[in-house]
Amino acid sequence: MNSNTPQPVTFKPSGPLTGKISVPGDKSISHRALILSALAVGKSRITGLLEGEDVLATAAALRAMGARIEKAGDVWTVYGVGVGGLMQPDNALEMGNSGTSTRLLMGLVASHGITATFIGDASLTKRPMGRVIDPLSQMGVDIQARETSDHKSCLPLTVRGLCPAIPIEYRLPVASAQVKSAILLAGLNTPGITRIIEPVLTRDHSETMLKGFGAEISVETDAEGCRVISLTGEAELQPQKIKVPGDPSSAAFLVVAALIVPGSNIVIENVGINPTRSGLFEVLQTMGGDISFKKKRTVGGEPVADIYVKHSSLTGIDVPANIAPSMIDEFPVLFIAAAMASGETTTCGLHELRVKESDRLSQMAKGLAQLGVKLTEKEDGMVIEGSGGKPLSGGRTKPVIETALDHRIAMSFAVAGLATKSGLAIDDITPVQTSFPGFQELITALISQ
Ligand code: S3P
């Protein structure tokens, strides 16, 4: 995927963003909706599914392992094979750019009696997989991965599933919902109780959705304040009707665009506001952002609202490290907001940003410096001196920003382009298709309303 020829695109200063729009479905929930539906016994129906390349990679892999998945209009229908019912894929599973597909499906394959090889694009092939290999190996699963010269286990890798696998109790060494979910998915077809101890809360969609599909899963807090998630294996999942809410991680780009472009006033309808995902909105409000949530409701166990955003004068703050897991994908666009704020914004505790689709600290620092932003890149964060609302400038020449196959770097700088003196270019806009098809069209629609 992303094999299309790179398409450089210019983003120029714009008039205000106005109007009411919605964003595509939540990426995390979409992956899980397909996977759990494929494991249920019978026919599930999904609406609002994100039709981005990452989620389509998950769908293709599930089809290759025997699930029937069809699309008619906006409705996706999945005929599940039942927990334990996946079949041996004929070919390697192509994961494209998607870490979530890879890690979740590794867990899924692990406790089935099948073997699957995972391959991906240049970005995914560099990302660490040891964090999933460790717990799955403890379950008795054999995983052979490519070892890098700096001792990382990476794609391509082959998972030889074990059925039955051994149930484990595992304390998460990194705050990662992907690792947590991989273990839970492996635990679904494993006899006995699989237990995960989560010292730092990460997005909890897997737990919520597993409960919704009828799995026996409990979440408790231990004496040290850690979440303890216990899943009873050999589950029988019941098919569901799922409505996927709009992705807060996609809404984030439009929220920041409206905050930094004078005169803007937008409404984003039907966005997920699960507290394990909404850290950015809280941080932006603390910075002085005029953001409000209306028509709060619950859809399929997930909190949802319409988000109202108006242009605001932002002030830099110290972002506490403990909020990072609830906005881990939103730091690139927060850095753009910080570059337009008055005063200094500091962030820390962000080691994980270095192992996302790109090294997001280094890519963001490079691009912001090209726009004349004063900053200090630290090992685990960044200190940014804001322009106080003045348009960003790359000097005489229009900067060309390197996106490194990272959709969120591309979209963050696209938003920054709206607040420049004379525009900027993104070297390759195609990665945006992984998570936010229609991104450019939505920005154009908001500008021209
Ligand atoms: C995701 C979890 C996060 C996030 C990714 C999606 C998920 O990764 O960055 O975009 O759907 O579970 P980590 O759990 O590795 O932090």
Side-chain angles (χ1 to χ4, degrees):
M1 288 185 203
N2 290 325
S3 55
N4 309 342
T5 319
Q7 300 167 17
V9 173
T10 298
F11 287 87
K12 290 194 289 226
S14 81
L17 285 77
T18 54
K20 199 181 252 192
I21 42 105
S22 53
V23 291
D26 187 281
K27 180 156 77 70
S28 294
I29 296 177
S30 294
H31 284 294
R32 288 156 173 83
L34 286 173
I35 293 172
L36 294 179
S37 297
L39 292 180
V41 181
K43 178 170 142 187
S44 291
R45 190 175 176 277
I46 309 168
T47 50
L49 189 87
L50 169 64
E51 295 179 6
E53 288 175 354
D54 280 14
V55 174
L56 298 180
T58 290
L62 291 169
R63 282 190 182 115
M65 292 189 285
R68 201 171 118 207
I69 302 178
E70 289 169 359
K71 188 197 165 199
D74 293 343
V75 182
W76 286 71
T77 306
V78 181
Y79 299 86
V81 296
V83 168
L86 293 179
M87 290 181 327
Q88 173 77 42
D90 291 335
N91 299 305
L93 302 176
E94 172 56 80
M95 301 285 98
N97 189 255
S98 179
T100 310
S101 308
T102 309
R103 294 183 176 133
L104 268 52
L105 294 174
M106 282 172 69
L108 189 64
V109 168
S111 59
H112 280 75
I114 59 175
T115 296
T117 295
F118 293 80
I119 56 172
D121 73 4
S123 151
L124 183 60
T125 300
K126 282 190 223 138
R127 299 182 66 185
M129 295 298 152
R131 54 183 61 198
V132 182
I133 296 174
D134 285 350
L136 297 181
S137 301
Q138 288 183 28
M139 296 179 82
V141 179
D142 173 38
I143 302 178
Q144 298 298 323
R146 181 179 63 89
E147 297 300 316
T148 63
S149 52
D150 54 345
H151 309 292
K152 276 195 312 191
S153 302
C154 293
L155 262 52
L157 62 77
T158 299
V159 179
R160 285 191 180 78
L162 178 67
C163 185
I166 305 156
I168 55 167
E169 176 172 309
Y170 191 77
R171 190 182 176 89
L172 289 174
V174 274
S176 168
Q178 292 181 348
V179 177
K180 169 172 69 176
S181 305
I183 303 167
L184 287 172
L185 289 170
L188 270 180
N189 196 36
T190 301
I193 294 184
T194 295
R195 187 164 286 132
I196 297 164
I197 301 166
E198 188 178 46
V200 180
L201 173 62
T202 63
R203 65 191 68 192
D204 59 359
H205 307 302
S206 293
E207 297 92 303
T208 304
M209 293 179 77
L210 277 164
K211 228 177 257 163
F213 273 84
E216 215 180 304
I217 181 167
S218 69
V219 182
E220 281 153 6
T221 307
D222 71 9
E224 291 164 30
C226 300
R227 282 175 98 230
V228 181
I229 306 156
S230 307
L231 173 74
T232 304
E234 298 180 307
E236 186 168 312
L237 302 185
Q238 306 304 319
Q240 300 297 307
K241 284 198 175 117
I242 302 167
K243 271 192 197 160
V244 181
D247 196 329
S249 299
S250 296
F253 299 103
L254 306 178
V255 168
V256 170
L259 288 175
I260 65 176
V261 176
S264 297
N265 187 353
I266 65 167
V267 181
I268 314 171
E269 294 180 300
N270 187 38
V271 182
I273 53 162
N274 183 319
T276 64
R277 298 284 300 284
S278 57
L280 174 77
F281 304 136
E282 219 177 287
V283 166
L284 291 171
Q285 281 173 326
T286 311
M287 292 171 77
D290 186 343
I291 304 172
S292 51
F293 301 92
K294 298 194 179 157
K295 284 207 225 150
K296 287 191 185 174
R297 57 230 187 239
T298 302
V299 179
E302 290 285 342
V304 171
D306 297 346
I307 307 184
Y308 287 66
V309 195
K310 288 189 189 142
H311 168 253
S312 309
S313 299
L314 301 174
T315 307
I317 62 164
D318 288 344
V319 180
N322 64 7
I323 204 167
S326 67
M327 56 177 291
I328 196 66
D329 291 335
E330 281 65 75
F331 280 95
V333 80
L334 171 69
F335 296 152
I336 303 299
M340 290 297 291
S342 307
E344 205 171 78
T345 298
T346 61
T347 52
C348 59
L350 305 181
H351 291 106
E352 276 296 298
L353 289 199
R354 298 209 179 269
V355 290
K356 293 293 179 188
E357 285 81 332
S358 69
D359 176 341
R360 288 183 171 161
L361 284 174
S362 122
Q363 288 302 134
M364 287 306 298
K366 243 193 270 178
L368 285 169
Q370 283 175 268
L371 294 175
V373 177
K374 286 196 198 116
L375 60 89
T376 312
E377 182 186 343
K378 305 238 166 105
E379 189 40 45
D380 71 333
M382 192 130 59
V383 180
I384 295 176
E385 183 64 46
S387 74
K390 289 201 203 80
L392 306 175
S393 158
R396 280 174 196 282
T397 52
K398 191 168 67 180
V400 180
I401 308 288
E402 185 189 295
T403 51
L405 285 180
D406 189 330
H407 54 136
R408 300 199 201 282
I409 301 290
M411 289 186 277
S412 298
F413 281 105
V415 167
L418 307 179
T420 48
K421 259 195 198 130
S422 47
L424 56 76
I426 310 280
D427 67 351
D428 181 7
I429 198 74
T430 55
V432 165
Q433 294 304 325
T434 61
S435 70
F436 198 160
F439 168 74
Q440 275 175 276
E441 292 78 0
L442 262 186
I443 294 268
T444 308
L446 286 170
I447 291 169
S448 49
Q449 282 194 38

